[in-house]
Amino acid sequence: MGIELVVFLLLGCVIGIISGLLGVGGGTVVVPTVVFFLVSIGVDPDLVMKIALGSSFAVVGITSLSSVIAHQRRGSVVWSVVFLLGIGAMIGVALGSLVVSRLNNLVLQLFFCVFLAYTIFNMVRGASKKEADQMIPFAKPLYLLVGSVIGFISSFVGIGGGVMIVPVLSKIGYKMKNAIASSSAVGMLMACAGALSALVTGWNVADTPDHSLGFIYLPAVIGLSITSFIFAPLGAKLVYILPVKRIRQIFAGFLTLILLVFIYNNFIG
């Protein structure tokens, strides 16, 4: 548990900054990293993605908490929106997790690749968009519905939903800093529901690796969470300093590299 813990600690620094800066929990980085490690130690292929997704949710929940605290100090979190989206998201991710526990590894890998490609496209496209000038009327039941859909989709990819929540809130008319801050809060609630579901659905499953709780791999969660929790406030501070447009473009390039490596390792190599 030594070397892998060091690797996860270092990666957590990057994930923490990403979480605070972009309002995403870093699941797009956590999942392929945990997959790569679990494959390298010979974990049952049918369990690899399920454990990676569960571990990702646990990390995202902790990372998002740190990010939310940092954003709340600046008064950027819109709690009325968080409450409505959060309830829907928790319901969606709980239902989705039940489906995930019954799917095979290949389907989950393909779904992750498609979603990662969507995330990259959204990052590049979103970087060139301007903030909305005014709010668009959006009924409360729609927030619940949107949250449920986002939560359900997120359960298949182990993320806090920030790559979907931020564009939605921005489109409605919320300022980017409010969209990012609120996304972190919703992602925290969603990730907690996802981690709990992974713990329950994987509790009595055989052949999970040592140091696991259900479908949650503790070395990854501990290592990634410690440093990501510390570095998330730095990312949140950068929201108010750096041009987010350029950061989104850089992050899109980084995710493209991750996608290519993930495809090569799991489908070609």
Side-chain angles (χ1 to χ4, degrees):
M1 188 171 168
I3 297 178
E4 62 265 31
L5 187 58
V6 173
V7 173
F8 289 135
L9 282 169
L10 292 175
L11 187 61
C13 300
V14 178
I15 292 171
I17 293 175
I18 289 172
S19 174
L21 180 62
L22 300 175
V24 300
T28 48
V29 180
V30 175
V31 172
T33 301
V34 177
V35 165
F36 178 80
F37 178 78
L38 293 177
V39 170
S40 70
I41 63 175
V43 174
D44 185 345
D46 289 335
L47 300 179
V48 168
M49 278 299 292
K50 295 171 184 176
I51 296 173
L53 296 177
S55 302
S56 178
F57 274 129
V59 173
V60 169
I62 298 172
T63 303
S64 297
L65 173 59
S66 178
S67 181
V68 170
I69 293 173
H71 283 296
Q72 177 58 23
R73 286 173 180 165
R74 294 177 177 268
S76 298
V77 181
V78 184
W79 288 106
S80 58
V81 170
V82 171
F83 179 74
L84 293 171
L85 281 177
I87 291 178
M90 287 190 289
I91 294 173
V93 77
L95 294 175
S97 295
L98 293 176
V99 177
V100 167
S101 66
R102 290 166 172 76
L103 294 178
N104 64 48
N105 203 58
L106 178 60
V107 172
L108 294 174
Q109 287 177 334
L110 289 172
F111 196 97
F112 183 79
C113 287
V114 171
F115 187 83
L116 196 52
Y118 159 79
T119 302
I120 294 168
F121 171 76
N122 189 62
M123 282 286 175
V124 174
R125 184 187 63 172
S128 61
K129 285 187 172 183
K130 295 182 179 179
E131 292 185 339
D133 295 326
Q134 59 185 6
M135 295 290 293
I136 297 174
F138 209 70
K140 291 183 179 180
L142 287 179
Y143 281 106
L144 291 171
L145 177 60
V146 169
S148 298
V149 172
I150 291 176
F152 187 82
I153 295 174
S154 295
S155 66
F156 288 81
V157 288
I159 66 170
V163 294
M164 294 177 282
I165 297 170
V166 172
V168 167
L169 293 180
S170 180
K171 185 72 174 179
I172 292 173
Y174 289 97
K175 297 297 183 182
M176 185 57 68
K177 66 178 182 179
N178 298 118
I180 290 173
S182 301
S183 172
S184 296
V186 176
M188 177 183 66
L189 298 176
M190 186 191 310
C192 289
L196 180 60
S197 297
L199 179 67
V200 173
T201 57
W203 187 255
N204 290 318
V205 175
D207 299 324
T208 55
D210 293 337
H211 312 299
S212 294
L213 287 177
F215 287 143
I216 298 176
Y217 186 56
L218 292 180
V221 174
I222 294 172
L224 292 172
S225 297
I226 290 175
T227 46
S228 64
F229 189 90
I230 294 172
F231 278 81
L234 173 59
K237 184 178 294 185
L238 292 177
V239 170
Y240 307 89
I241 301 174
L242 298 178
V244 178
K245 172 183 176 181
R246 189 63 58 202
I247 297 299
R248 288 170 69 92
Q249 292 172 335
I250 294 173
F251 186 48
F254 179 58
L255 289 182
T256 300
L257 178 61
I258 290 178
L259 175 60
L260 293 175
V261 172
F262 188 85
I263 291 174
Y264 178 81
N265 287 340
N266 293 282
F267 300 104
I268 300 176

